[in-house]
Amino acid sequence: MSQDKQKLLHAYRKMREIRTFEERLHKENTTGEIPGFIHLYSGEEAIAVGVCEHLSDQDYIGSTHRGHGHCIAKGCDIRGMMAEIFGKETGLCRGKGGSMHIADLSKGMLGANAIVGGAPPLVIGASLTAKTLGTGGVGVSFTGDGGSNQGLVFEAMNMAVVLKLPTIFVFENNGYGEGTGHDYAVGSRDIAGRAAGFGMPSVKVDGTDFFAVHEAVGEAIRRAREGGGPSAIEAIAYRWHGHFEGDPMLYRADGEVERLRAEKDPLKIFRAQLGKQIADAEFDAIDAEVEALVDEAVAKARADSYPPVENLLTDVYVSY
Amino acid sequence: MSQDKQKLLHAYRKMREIRTFEERLHKENTTGEIPGFIHLYSGEEAIAVGVCEHLSDQDYIGSTHRGHGHCIAKGCDIRGMMAEIFGKETGLCRGKGGSMHIADLSKGMLGANAIVGGAPPLVIGASLTAKTLGTGGVGVSFTGDGGSNQGLVFEAMNMAVVLKLPTIFVFENNGYGEGTGHDYAVGSRDIAGRAAGFGMPSVKVDGTDFFAVHEAVGEAIRRAREGGGPSAIEAIAYRWHGHFEGDPMLYRADGEVERLRAEKDPLKIFRAQLGKQIADAEFDAIDAEVEALVDEAVAKARADSYPPVENLLTDVYVSY
Amino acid sequence: MAIRTYREAVREALAQEMEHDPRVVLIGEDLCGGQAGSSPLEKNKEALGGVLGVTKGLWTQFGSSRVIDTPITESAIVGMAAGAAVTGLRPVAELMFMDFFGVCHDMLYNQAAKFRYMFGGRAKTPLVIRGMIGAGYSAAAQHSQSPYNIFATTPGLKVVVPSTPYDIKGLLIQSIRDDDPVVFCEHKALYDIKGEVPEESYTIPFGVANYTREGTDVTIIALAAMVHKANAVADKLAKEGISVEVVDPRTISPLDEEGILESVSSTGRVVIVDESAARFGFAHDVAALIASQAFHFLKAPIVMVTPPHTPVPFSPPLEQAWIPSVDRIEAAVRQVMEA
Amino acid sequence: MAIRTYREAVREALAQEMEHDPRVVLIGEDLCGGQAGSSPLEKNKEALGGVLGVTKGLWTQFGSSRVIDTPITESAIVGMAAGAAVTGLRPVAELMFMDFFGVCHDMLYNQAAKFRYMFGGRAKTPLVIRGMIGAGYSAAAQHSQSPYNIFATTPGLKVVVPSTPYDIKGLLIQSIRDDDPVVFCEHKALYDIKGEVPEESYTIPFGVANYTREGTDVTIIALAAMVHKANAVADKLAKEGISVEVVDPRTISPLDEEGILESVSSTGRVVIVDESAARFGFAHDVAALIASQAFHFLKAPIVMVTPPHTPVPFSPPLEQAWIPSVDRIEAAVRQVMEA
Ligand SMILES: Cc1ncc(C[n+]2csc(CCOP(=O)(O)OP(=O)(O)O)c2C)c(N)n1
Ligand SMILES: Cc1ncc(C[n+]2csc(CCOP(=O)(O)OP(=O)(O)O)c2C)c(N)n1
Ligand SMILES: [Mg+2]
Ligand SMILES: [Mg+2]
């Protein structure tokens, strides 16, 4: 297989992993076995994967409350993630973090974050480390359209310009923050357009099109690695599920979700784009492998045990 | 006297009051009788006065640590201010606030503020009151070039656009935040330029030119009063003294202050602009009156008594 | 009297005060939700009514100028509310989860709390900040905290932590009418509990504790969800002849110091139950009060039942071990009885 | 040993650690000042060296990649420092006045403090946040506070409050080498006090109290500037035959509980002096510890000497009345002696 094709199939596999993971959670969540809040990423896969296909473990990302897709794209172990979401000791955070705090620093994943706007200031820190130690790494923050209004984000953007940090600010515009339209909450109705005011370049891309994201981010990352400083990218995609599982979605137009699933499915779009190069059977084989992987992850997560109560008192400080 | 001329002389008087007040503080501060930090506004008079000449007591302003000029321009009593700065019971805040917290709500002065970036969120609140109660009032926030980087400011700007609030964000670019150049701290090197990203109009004006400020702000206030929403104004002026009294100003170029005093004096510029209409003697008469007023304010502040110790325990809540 | 949930009691208080006083406005994220899209489809919809359903129906009733949906921008929310309060409105701002105060703490800590003092008494700041506190839902470390201790340490703020539908309605109306800034903490484990609540408007004064159980052997001091656990322990031990008094201060700033000291002086044995913190918490504040003011009445060491000094863990068995439990409270009572 | 001021001791600790470990970087506003202008005139100047002069000379010595001047943007400063700490640097961020934590509290409270726990122990966050605390300079309500109680209530943070040049150097080096986030509180009234300080690098462990006076009648527990006042009272009363022990915990999280309890168990009389708060302060935390753990040793009610429950006033006579004074401490000691 050509290297290019391998890369394409890898990207597809990652997107499929996210999709299958999320749709399975949507189902499993109804059994009552999953504690806490779940925010699903279905419909936005091309953003996380379009970004992370450029990154290695030396590069760091910072994520949001809707973090599963970013984690998977950045290489977090799917079994460990599923176990974490089930609250089990085998989870990536040993059951202490849960869906909104999955992290794996060894993979360059700085954590989902339940504080909206929390990631960008942290990510510029990872970028500062890269710059100071000369690792060649970059930092990428993911922020929603709703989160784009948080002061933390603007501060991080200005700081990144001032210090010429290798940071990419990715804004995932999925139309809503909870039930509030981005066209209400973003005064200018143009998230990418804010970047110029802070002195950094930006582009707006179709976030359901893997190639559009991949190309735009590639350019930004190249610039960052070369010392050219930060960039912003607004990627427009759609959230298929509720804000959280259980949201009755009264703010949706009739038939909105069905239409999105039919017309704005990043995986379908990807397959259509590559229909000539890659046979359906190859994609389907990946789908089946991923299905099996997620099956196994769920079965294992379900079977694994909860952390022992003694663990309550560990990991507060390095000393205990 | 024509109404126009009266207005011009009023503006000049206010600018002179600020100048005389500040230069006197500069002198008095060396006697050790003034407690705490003092930040002087000399050199920036045309901004405060250019703005506040448009405002009535129904309109609110929010200020900074460098607030004396804004207070005077908004009509705060000079004796009460001086007494406050000396820590006396007759002070506008009964000696409890000091230089960095002078306020007079009855004059629409929401307070100096020792938290950089603190005022804009408060000012949009005053604007919300005006809008909700239909008073026709506006809110004006003053923020420095350094303060323009604080997340609070950006949040207030976005909120003002979203809620179409009657707010004017005035940025006083005096070149430095403490010892740090604005050309370092503002990533884009263009404060006014940020406004577009938030969806509001902005202009950049010469902040040593009363007429330039007055006209630009007039336009913004008219728009705000008519329901057209917020605007931003960047006014460029110069700080003649140190960041605070006692600052050795090592960051200054040789002769910088002398040059500013010679070439960038808002009062000299104003007089020059009106040289044909208004005789020097008229200006000089005002100068003398103001001198006497400030003399009296200092004498009174010096003679007044400190608050009694019982006052320590009052004014925490409405009930005590 | 009607039977209402704690959630309904909040909504009723808000609605009645909004009717009563046109200066009362609500400010927060997704208070309505649907108003917040500009597409024609969304324009006339109230989609969320608040993440908690607490404000449901209020936008429909009072419209966008009284129920103000905002972007995600807590510093501007609290700052705007504080600025509006000193200039003539009586805003009620919602922080959703109180844990979010970190991104806007200055607007409370250095601004709203201090206006009146810094301005020499020449300001009134009738502001209410509402938000959820409490663990128990696997909402993890950033959505489960009860930081009322951090608010109450700040002079100038008042802090309310109600435990019943009756109390929450009366205290919220009082908070809105109060001329000082109030941080109003709603415990998420209590939203669905029911109780008798007068339909008409009423207020409960600040600084007056409620004795939810009267007793002579031991005083338990508790807040919000912990009051119900304390009551359960009191009821259980009553059968064994141990007479437990449960004191619910309801507001922690101001605090009914007299009410607490009176109970302690009669029982001489104290257990304080507190979900806020293992250090510098409500339990410590009250223990210090008692150790300095009622020392000579004490027959036994004060026992504090608090969470451990750890963030709130996600996994249910860990989280359950984190929250002060009925068992730990019972054990504490037995401990002070034996001492 | 050399004679150094508290300020010089801070600078020496920073310089030595920066030499010792290339991962140590300083981040803050005007740490240098002059580097921060782009005009040729400013380019090579260190104008401020920090508002306090603490970092003076460090930029000249270590350059812009190690001494990082920032815009006024505390959330980005603390957030960046936290993010850098979990990814391999050992940042020391300066908040100038600790009062400013309100604009960036989330980055400490919900982020840096919780990484390790939320991530199941798989993170280290070697971060130091330095800043000034303390009243006494008419810096008024927003520049005079000592909010160490608010930091120390948060699990995951360590909190240091040193009182002498010797302690501040050793504790700062320890803080920088420590793998947990540390909030490091420098009292502005102490910057110019002098003391013996070893020229070489050394550390002082956290959680070990210092007995600045030994005594048998009364224990005073105090921090930072209050330690010196407590010492003065101890010296004065010694002449009257009242033997006062002064315990300076130096770090309040972790706290040397054993050291405190041991002293209390020998004296049985306790005065706690605390500049943080009238409620929910350090005094209350320690009083609660004693009332629950050393109750049977107590011979008298615990007395707390704290500021009143008010913001810090500007006017000098009011401010002097606000700060716990030598007179009030002395009166408190006499009070516990008489009880
Ligand atoms: C500081 C803070 N404010 C509010 C919330 C509650 N909240 C969680 S997600 C969310 C909406 C986020 O919208 P967006 O950034 O567009 O991300 P999306 O959910 O669409 O992925 C809100 C308001 C929070 N978690 N943190
Ligand atoms: C939140 C906060 N950060 C830092 C400071 C310290 N500080 C006071 S004034 C100042 C510089 C402000 O610069 P600028 O906004 O340009 O106003 P100027 O002094 O030039 O009028 C700084 C950093 C503060 N008071 N508050
Ligand atoms: Mg969104
Ligand atoms: Mg400036």
Side-chain angles (χ1 to χ4, degrees), chain B residues 165-288:
Chain B
L165 296 175
T167 309
I168 295 89
F169 297 91
V170 176
F171 293 98
E172 305 186 301
N173 186 345
N174 63 9
Y176 302 97
E178 295 191 348
T180 299
H182 75 104
D183 46 1
Y184 177 82
V186 177
S188 60
R189 303 194 175 182
D190 178 6
I191 298 172
R194 283 172 175 158
F198 290 99
M200 74 174 82
S202 69
V203 290
K204 207 181 284 245
V205 299
D206 178 349
T208 63
D209 177 349
F210 168 83
F211 296 100
V213 175
H214 192 255
E215 192 187 318
V217 173
E219 169 85 21
I221 289 180
R222 196 186 40 66
R223 190 164 47 235
R225 292 205 204 277
E226 287 169 1
S231 312
I233 285 154
E234 178 181 353
I236 295 162
Y238 306 91
R239 149 158 83 71
W240 289 5
H241 292 282
H243 167 59
F244 57 93
E245 287 302 274
D247 171 3
M249 297 197 273
L250 302 175
Y251 47 86
R252 296 274 197 194
D254 289 340
E256 181 177 329
V257 174
E258 292 68 23
R259 188 179 50 76
L260 293 174
R261 286 187 184 258
E263 296 170 16
K264 299 289 187 181
D265 181 337
L267 283 103
K268 276 194 203 152
I269 292 169
F270 188 89
R271 285 175 69 143
Q273 284 166 322
L274 295 176
K276 298 221 175 82
Q277 290 165 255
I278 300 178
D280 259 355
E282 289 189 77
F283 287 126
D284 292 345
I286 290 176
D287 292 359

Side-chain angles (χ1 to χ4, degrees), chain A residues 7-313:
Chain A
K7 281 191 183 158
L8 290 169
L9 290 177
H10 184 264
Y12 179 78
R13 176 183 299 269
K14 285 285 150 191
M15 291 201 286
R16 175 59 67 194
E17 284 177 3
I18 297 172
R19 174 68 53 79
T20 305
F21 192 91
E22 296 295 65
E23 296 300 317
R24 177 64 61 86
L25 274 179
H26 179 64
K27 232 180 73 194
E28 297 296 335
N29 192 54
T30 60
T31 69
E33 277 171 283
I34 296 180
F37 299 112
I38 301 277
H39 307 82
L40 302 180
Y41 193 70
S42 296
E44 309 183 45
E45 295 86 350
I47 308 176
V49 177
V51 170
C52 293
E53 288 295 291
H54 288 287
L55 307 178
S56 82
D57 292 352
Q58 309 301 314
D59 301 309
Y60 286 91
I61 66 167
S63 167
T64 67
H65 57 288
R66 196 178 302 290
H68 306 162
H70 310 133
C71 290
I72 292 175
K74 196 67 178 48
C76 292
D77 176 51
I78 282 186
R79 293 180 207 81
M81 285 179 60
M82 191 64 83
E84 187 60 33
I85 291 168
F86 274 77
K88 298 305 176 71
E89 197 189 356
T90 48
L92 271 184
C93 304
R94 303 169 69 201
K96 284 180 168 167
S99 163
M100 292 199 288
H101 304 293
I102 300 179
D104 188 344
L105 291 166
S106 71
K107 296 285 180 191
M109 167 61 201
L110 277 175
N113 206 311
I115 297 298
V116 169
L122 305 173
V123 165
I124 62 171
S127 302
L128 181 71
T129 300
K131 190 181 171 200
T132 308
L133 302 182
T135 67
V138 300
V140 181
S141 70
F142 292 93
T143 306
D145 49 293
S148 78
N149 303 302
Q150 190 69 282
L152 299 167
V153 180
F154 304 124
E155 290 195 22
M157 290 172 76
N158 188 56
M159 182 84 106
V161 172
V162 170
L163 301 181
K164 269 211 164 206
L165 296 175
T167 309
I168 295 89
F169 297 91
V170 176
F171 294 99
E172 304 186 302
N173 185 346
N174 63 8
Y176 302 99
E178 295 191 348
T180 299
H182 75 104
D183 46 2
Y184 177 81
V186 177
S188 61
R189 304 196 174 180
D190 178 5
I191 298 172
R194 282 173 177 158
F198 289 99
M200 73 174 83
S202 69
V203 289
K204 206 182 284 249
V205 298
D206 178 349
T208 64
D209 177 348
F210 168 83
F211 296 100
V213 175
H214 193 255
E215 192 187 317
V217 173
E219 171 84 20
I221 289 181
R222 195 186 41 66
R223 190 165 46 236
R225 292 205 203 278
E226 286 170 2
S231 312
I233 286 154
E234 177 182 354
I236 295 162
Y238 306 91
R239 148 159 83 71
W240 289 5
H241 292 281
H243 167 59
F244 57 93
E245 288 301 274
D247 172 2
M249 294 198 274
L250 300 176
Y251 47 85
R252 295 275 199 192
D254 289 340
E256 181 176 330
V257 174
E258 293 68 23
R259 189 178 51 75
L260 294 174
R261 286 188 184 259
E263 295 169 16
K264 299 288 188 182
D265 181 337
L267 283 103
K268 274 194 206 153
I269 292 169
F270 188 89
R271 284 175 70 143
Q273 284 166 322
L274 295 176
K276 298 221 175 82
Q277 290 166 256
I278 299 177
D280 260 356
E282 288 189 79
F283 286 126
D284 291 346
I286 289 177
D287 291 359
E289 283 167 36
V290 169
E291 190 74 31
L293 174 65
V294 172
D295 279 347
E296 188 211 320
V298 170
K300 208 172 155 312
R302 182 165 278 139
D304 284 345
S305 39
Y306 286 112
V309 169
E310 309 86 74
N311 285 14
L312 174 62
L313 301 177

